[in-house]
Amino acid sequence: MRQALIVCCHDGFFTQYCGVGTAARKTVDALGTLQRRGALTGTRLDFIGPALRVDSPSYDATYARNLQTFARSTGGDLHTVRVTRGPLPTDLNKLWGLKQWRVAAEAAANIILSIPAERKIFFAHDIFFGQICAEIPNDSKIIGCYVPHSTGKLFREPVRLKVERRIHGSIVSSQHFVGAINQFMRRHLMEAYGLPRARFLPLTNALTERDRARQETQKKLPADVRRRTEGKHIVFSYGRCGHQKGYHILIPAFRRFVRQNPNYHLVMLAPTDITDVCYRGLIEHQLRTLSPGTYTWVQTFSDPL
């Protein structure tokens, strides 16, 4: 096989736990479209994610099976990495710790090294898999792209900062790159962390508007939501319900905004599966300060919305 493209992500392949999972599945959809177009001829696709118990309520056996079939059709596979010597965890909320991140990166790096291909390109999502860049020795035939979706300096997380030092250090002194998800993140990583401009890779969307429109599934909103939003402009926010997502800032701001602009409706796709109890209580309290019928809160991916 001439080339291998490897996507390492902690969510999406076996679960759809939060927004990251949705993004991962959209990536898979995009790769499928490119494959059918013939743009990936000679490329095997591999996917790496953390091993979870298959009897977990959040484990999506059907999607995992379909993804494995897709990967194998290209000569690749769907791989799992253990992050603990004990029993497999039942949900992603139990996979957050320095040792687990290091173990996951080491295991994923071994899988990447074992893949038979003349050239390998891997995408490592956030700090869970970002340390793969430090585990892969300098090799011009293996190029990695670390894709962070948040940083320790943005959210004052000392544990994340410790891991980031290792990841960034390895990128500056190796053949690996950083993939910035937007201009703000690129500027932040350069200014706050001193990462050189030359180490950034542009993340471009290979799909056309027609491709994306074809992928979208048209769904009807529940009748009560259609009534609330009919004829109104939508303010849409998407991300798990956590402090770093800023819902506690958004809601008071929307309360002030909607007083002068009553033709707007707030829709929050903010799953609460792993939300801290205190933070959820704060959000519920803030939402009660909004006028009835001015907002919709979707709290789980299984919601009819």
Side-chain angles (χ1 to χ4, degrees):
M1 184 66 66
R2 186 173 71 248
Q3 177 175 272
L5 181 63
I6 306 119
V7 181
C8 310
C9 191
H10 64 256
D11 188 17
F13 303 151
F14 304 103
T15 65
Q16 195 172 7
Y17 208 67
C18 57
V20 170
T22 301
R25 295 191 179 191
K26 286 294 184 181
T27 299
V28 172
D29 290 344
L31 291 173
T33 300
L34 294 175
Q35 184 204 38
R36 290 189 295 274
R37 189 184 292 167
L40 296 177
T41 302
T43 300
R44 63 174 281 168
L45 299 175
D46 289 86
F47 304 93
I48 302 177
L52 299 172
R53 279 178 49 179
V54 296
D55 60 345
S56 166
S58 61
Y59 187 90
D60 191 337
T62 300
Y63 188 86
R65 184 168 56 251
N66 292 340
L67 179 55
Q68 184 177 58
T69 299
F70 170 52
R72 289 180 175 177
S73 73
T74 71
D77 210 341
L78 172 61
H79 310 269
T80 60
V81 294
R82 291 189 67 106
V83 296
T84 174
R85 293 181 179 178
L88 290 177
T90 57
D91 62 66
L92 291 176
N93 195 30
K94 299 177 181 178
L95 296 180
W96 302 109
L98 283 173
K99 288 185 178 180
Q100 292 173 324
W101 296 334
R102 183 71 175 264
V103 169
E106 291 174 350
N110 287 332
I111 292 173
I112 293 171
L113 290 170
S114 70
I115 291 175
E118 296 176 17
R119 184 173 65 165
K120 307 171 191 179
I121 302 172
F122 68 86
F123 289 85
H125 174 246
D126 214 51
I127 56 176
F128 194 101
F129 281 118
Q131 291 182 90
I132 298 174
C133 295
E135 299 294 335
I136 298 287
N138 284 333
D139 186 337
S140 60
K141 296 181 179 179
I142 305 179
I143 298 175
C145 182
Y146 162 57
V147 186
H149 69 240
S150 61
T151 73
K153 289 190 176 181
L154 275 177
F155 300 109
R156 300 176 184 177
E157 297 175 344
V159 175
R160 181 181 285 266
L161 284 169
K162 184 175 181 179
V163 180
E164 287 172 343
R165 281 194 291 271
R166 183 169 188 250
I167 297 173
H168 296 168
S170 67
I171 289 174
V172 170
S173 61
S174 72
Q175 75 281 16
H176 303 308
F177 294 88
V178 180
I181 59 177
N182 51 43
Q183 289 300 315
F184 167 80
M185 183 63 75
R186 182 174 182 270
R187 185 172 63 252
H188 168 68
L189 290 169
M190 291 175 61
E191 294 176 354
Y193 289 90
L195 288 175
R197 185 184 300 272
R199 301 321 299 167
F200 284 85
L201 273 183
L203 297 181
T204 58
N205 195 329
L207 299 186
T208 65
E209 289 293 338
R210 181 177 297 179
D211 290 328
R212 290 195 289 274
R214 192 178 294 124
Q215 290 175 2
E216 292 299 323
T217 301
Q218 297 299 321
K219 296 182 179 180
K220 288 187 176 180
L221 295 175
D224 61 327
V225 178
R226 290 205 304 274
R227 285 193 297 270
R228 289 200 299 269
T229 60
E230 187 174 3
K232 293 192 174 183
H233 300 291
I234 303 297
V235 175
F236 183 70
S237 183
Y238 177 28
R240 62 182 171 83
C241 188
H243 184 273
Q244 62 181 241
K245 302 302 182 183
Y247 288 104
H248 60 292
I249 300 172
L250 169 65
I251 297 170
F254 181 77
R255 183 174 65 246
R256 296 178 60 184
F257 173 79
V258 79
R259 287 174 184 166
Q260 298 180 8
N261 302 273
N263 201 35
Y264 282 78
H265 185 92
L266 174 64
V267 176
M268 298 181 356
L269 177 51
T272 57
D273 308 65
I274 57 175
T275 301
D276 175 78
V277 175
C278 293
Y279 189 74
R280 177 169 181 163
L282 170 63
I283 297 305
E284 290 174 343
H285 169 73
Q286 289 185 332
L287 287 173
R288 286 195 292 270
T289 67
L290 297 179
S291 299
T294 61
Y295 71 91
T296 298
W297 182 16
V298 185
Q299 300 184 51
T300 172
F301 281 111
S302 61
D303 190 285
L305 272 175

